[in-house]
Each structure stands twice: as structure tokens, then as C-alpha cells.
Amino acid sequence: MNNLEHFSTDTQTQDHTGQAAQATAVVGHFINGMAVSRSAKRQPVYNPATGEVSKSVEIADSQTVNEAVRVAEQAFPAWRDTPVIKRARVMFKFKQLLEENAEKICELIGQEHGKISHDAKGELQRGIENVEYACGAPELLKGEYSKNVGPDIDSWSEFQPLGVVAGITPFNFPAMVALWMFPMALVCGNCFVLKPSEKAPSVVLFLAELLKQAGLPDGVFNVVNGDKEAVDTLLNHPKIQAVSFVGSTPIAEYIYRTATAAGKRCQALGGAKNHAIIMPDADIDNVVTSLLGAAFGSSGERCMALSVAVAIGDEIADIVIEKLTQEMQKLKFGHYADSNNDFGPLITQAHKDKVQAYIQSAEQQGAKIVVDGRDAKPAGYENGFFVGPTLIDQVTPKMTSYQQEIFGPVLQVMRVDTMQQAMQLINEHEYGNGTCIYTRDGEAARYFSSHIQVGMVGINVPLPVPVAYHSFGGWKRSLFGDLHAYGPDGVRFYTRRKTITQRWPSAQVREAKQFAMPTLN
């Protein structure tokens, strides 16, 4: 979902030109119900629209992380034993506070990520929907009960919390992805330590304050900002029972391997290369409109972005490219506070350079740059980390830009002759996060959804992100672990099933010895 910048180790406060800069504020941590400052090591946080340092964030050492885990462990027994309806009431109040403070949360997202205000509102709303689902915990945590499974024997199951669990979240959805994790974990009775991206650290600290206002006891939810040292401390800490992660595939694989080797439960969501097949019978005007938002929304910095359009036949490809080229000229990009903009900047100068390098590599390897966004400089924001909407034609499977996740506002077009060839491209790719088919043919759509090897499938839906009461996750190297994020899988991930079988024998009956496996025969 993002790249290796997630574990940046740069400690000097600098602007993007390399000149030392004084941050105007320092972002710390949230431990035991209060904002705290624990570490002298700091890292700059940029306003990506201006390219300027807006604040600095403390980078937690292992001692700070251990402190957060310790207070969470101490808070766990009382929170575990809190009736589930009371835990749910905290979530109800938290949902209300999220809605009341939506403008502030979206402003923080815009300041540190650059996401346009209307996009930030959509992110927050998707997060709130997960809180709404978590409010149903009294129903979700009900186990099964069977009476008289044997003579005077009853059996039932219940779902018990794990203990202290951790989440590691990316920069591109600083509110939503965190809200995928901790509301369900908390309402299930766990305590939580969250390590957000150091590139967008302020949002979750504000969420922590709202949780406290909602009545969450101190120590139940803690936030530590940090880099690889903080992550490794969480992964190897003996008191952390489970780890949730969203980020790039190389880091997801590392997280999963390290956490499971330490005996922890882990779900690690990685990268993507999402294809859209455009069938000859598709409504091309609607396809073009759909592709614009799916490819360039959030500057392409989302794991569900449609980054590859696979056209069935040259005729369809030519029409789609012509219409896309025309519509892309109308797209606006710039500062987050201007809702007339369609998307904003990339997160850092380093990531901008990386995206531009992918575009250049495609050109060098034989692709055609139809619309080139490399020289994007919005008026008044010339120093921002902008890449304009980019369209690349004649892409082939051997190109670097096709094989890897670009994570920017770049749409690539591939040409094939048949639907089977298009599906083969998708099925052979190492990622299997999301995909889409544009068609009016129900038979084709049904065949596609049944045989495509991807975790989330859209039929004329470009971003098939499941609603909160389903679960989110890809296949292949887009997901490491057995359970998907949020929804029903979220309940299972943050709980352990316990099955209890009981019998109250009659005091008047003397039972015979029994050495065989008990049965009902």
C-alpha cells in the first residue's frame, strides 16, 4: 500500500531541499491516557502541497514502546472484564465524537497527507462505518450453545480477547486504516498499541484524545510514533499477542515472518497491481469517468487504485485512450483545502522521484507516454510534491512499471485480443488485491468473478472495497495471514474461541470407569 519509506530512519529535521529547518510543533506519543514526550530523536513532517516542514515527530525508542505495552498489559484485566455492552457504549460515543470533529480530522489528513477535503471526508466516513460495525459487539461476540450434546451434558463456545495487540498503519489512510483495526480490537476486550506512519502522525493522536473523551479507560489505547526500532520492538515483545499491518509487500512479508516467528497472530496487508478489463460491449463513456476517479483519486496512493486498464482489442483501446486524454486535461490538482481540486500531492519528495522514475522506465522500455504529469507545478505550490495525471499506452508484462506498484497518479493501458488473455495477465501477476471488469454481459461477468485469482472483485465497480460488515483483503502477495481485515474476520482475528463442555452428574448415580473415547452410542 505504500513503500519502504514507511520505516524511514532520517533523524535530522530538514526541508526537501536538504536545508535544515525548524519545525513549528513536535508530535509525541499517547500513553496511559495522556500525550507524552519521551524521545529526543525526531523526524520532519512535511506539508506535501508546499514541500515545507510543518512539524516534527518524535521517534520512539524501545524503552518508550515497552512503556506503552506495559500500561496496556496493566489495563487489560479490568477492560477484559468490562461487560461487552459497556465497551460498545464507548464505541457509540466515539462514533458521535468522530462525526462532531470530522472537519478537524479531515484538516489534519490534508495537512500531512495532502488529500483533498472531499476525499478526506470519504476516508473518514469509511472509518466511521467500521466503528458502527464494532458497536454491534454484544451480538458479534455471542457464541453457540447446544444443550444435551450427551446425557446431561451441555456445550457452548465463547470468544475471548487475546490481550495486548498492536497495529502498524500507513501514511495514505491515516484515519481509515487505523479505524479498521482498533475499534474492533477494543470492543472485543483487547488493549491496543498503535504505531502510525511517521509521515502522518497527528490524526491518530487526535483519535486517541477522542477515545478518552468517549470514556475509554487510561492505558487501553496507546500510540507510539516511531520507525523500524519501534516496529521491531512490537514484533518481538512477548506480551504482544497479535499484529495488524497495512503497507508495502516487502514490509508486509517482513512483518508477517517476524511476528509469526515470535509466536504471534498476524495479518499483514501488502501491495497491489489492480487491473480493469474493458470488454468491447462496455459503456465506454462511463468506463472513462470511472477510470479517472479510480486511477487518480488520492493521487493513486491507495492499494485499491486501478492502475492498469486492459482493453480487449485495439479499437476499444484507441477509443478509451482518446477519451481519457480529453478528460484528463480537465483534472485539477493542488492544495487540500480547495474542494475544486480532484487530487493532491504525493507524500514526499522521495516518493515523487520514485513515481517519476517509474514513468521514465516505461518510456525507456518502449511504452508510449500519452499524457505526461512529470512537470506538474500548480500555481502557488510549485515546490509541492506533485505529479500530474499520467497515461501510458503500449505497456507490456515485462516492463518494470507493470511489475511493481507505482503508487501514484499513473494509469497504464495494455492491449490484448481476448478476455482469456486479460485474465491470464491478472492471474499471473504476483499481486491479487483488487480487480474489475467493465461489461454488459452477465455470462462474462460471472465467469470472470468465478475464475479470477484476486481477493476483491468488481463488476462495473472500479473500487470494490467491501463495506464494513464484510472483510477486506487480497490474495497472493497482497495478503500474508489467514484472516482479512475488519468485518467478520476482524472479530475472529482479535478473539480466541473457547469451547466449554459441562456436566452436573447426579449424586445418587455411581458411574462406571470409561476408557474409550466418549460417544453417544
Side-chain angles (χ1 to χ4, degrees), residues 288-350:
V288 168
T289 300
S290 177
L291 284 174
L292 290 171
F296 306 125
S298 295
S299 302
E301 289 180 324
R302 52 189 179 193
C303 69
M304 290 299 286
L306 270 183
S307 56
V308 182
V310 186
I312 310 300
D314 286 332
E315 182 179 354
I316 292 296
D318 291 341
I319 294 172
V320 169
I321 287 172
E322 180 183 0
K323 289 180 177 290
L324 277 171
T325 302
Q326 294 172 357
E327 294 301 317
M328 286 170 66
Q329 310 306 318
K330 304 174 186 177
L331 296 179
K332 298 179 180 179
F333 49 93
H335 193 264
Y336 74 89
D338 185 350
S339 60
N340 291 317
N341 288 323
D342 298 300
F343 62 91
L346 297 175
I347 188 68
T348 62
Q349 179 65 42

Side-chain angles (χ1 to χ4, degrees), residues 337-380:
D338 185 350
S339 60
N340 291 317
N341 288 323
D342 298 300
F343 62 91
L346 297 175
I347 188 68
T348 62
Q349 179 65 42
H351 188 53
K352 174 183 174 179
D353 294 342
K354 185 176 181 179
V355 171
Q356 290 177 325
Y358 278 125
I359 299 170
Q360 183 178 355
S361 74
E363 187 173 33
Q364 291 173 341
Q365 293 172 359
K368 179 182 178 183
I369 311 299
V370 181
V371 180
D372 193 341
R374 285 176 286 185
D375 294 326
K377 293 186 181 297

Side-chain angles (χ1 to χ4, degrees), residues 180-231:
W180 284 3
M181 299 178 185
F182 71 77
M184 182 55 69
L186 295 178
V187 84
C188 286
N190 300 282
C191 292
F192 205 96
V193 178
L194 179 64
K195 206 298 287 185
S197 169
E198 65 274 22
K199 294 174 178 60
S202 298
V203 172
V204 294
L205 290 173
F206 186 62
L207 299 186
E209 295 285 356
L210 295 183
L211 274 174
K212 184 177 177 68
Q213 291 181 36
L216 190 73
D218 292 345
V220 174
F221 181 71
N222 305 275
V223 180
V224 289
N225 283 299
D227 55 14
K228 191 174 186 298
E229 180 181 354
V231 169

Side-chain angles (χ1 to χ4, degrees), residues 90-109 120-121 123-135 174-180 182-184 186 202-214 221:
V90 173
M91 285 301 127
F92 274 110
K93 180 62 176 178
F94 180 53
K95 171 187 176 293
Q96 178 185 348
L97 291 171
L98 289 172
E99 293 169 339
E100 292 174 355
N101 291 274
E103 185 175 346
K104 173 65 174 177
I105 296 169
C106 292
E107 184 179 9
L108 289 171
I109 294 172
K121 291 176 183 177
E123 170 186 345
L124 178 58
Q125 179 57 36
R126 269 305 181 91
I128 289 174
E129 289 167 7
N130 283 275
V131 179
E132 291 174 332
Y133 184 71
C135 289
M176 184 186 74
V177 173
L179 292 170
W180 284 3
F182 71 77
M184 182 55 69
L186 295 178
S202 298
V203 172
V204 294
L205 290 173
F206 186 62
L207 299 186
E209 295 285 356
L210 295 183
L211 274 174
K212 184 177 177 68
Q213 291 181 36
F221 181 71

Side-chain angles (χ1 to χ4, degrees), residues 51-114:
E52 298 173 346
V53 174
S54 60
K55 62 191 73 169
S56 65
V57 58
E58 290 191 4
I59 302 300
D61 55 17
S62 58
Q63 183 177 355
T64 301
V65 177
N66 289 335
E67 179 187 357
V69 176
R70 177 180 56 78
V71 299
E73 183 187 9
Q74 292 174 344
F76 173 63
W79 182 242
R80 174 197 58 203
D81 295 338
T82 299
V84 64
I85 188 63
K86 290 188 176 181
R87 300 198 299 254
R89 286 171 184 162
V90 173
M91 285 301 127
F92 274 110
K93 180 62 176 178
F94 180 53
K95 171 187 176 293
Q96 178 185 348
L97 291 171
L98 289 172
E99 293 169 339
E100 292 174 355
N101 291 274
E103 185 175 346
K104 173 65 174 177
I105 296 169
C106 292
E107 184 179 9
L108 289 171
I109 294 172
Q111 289 172 350
E112 295 181 352
H113 175 272

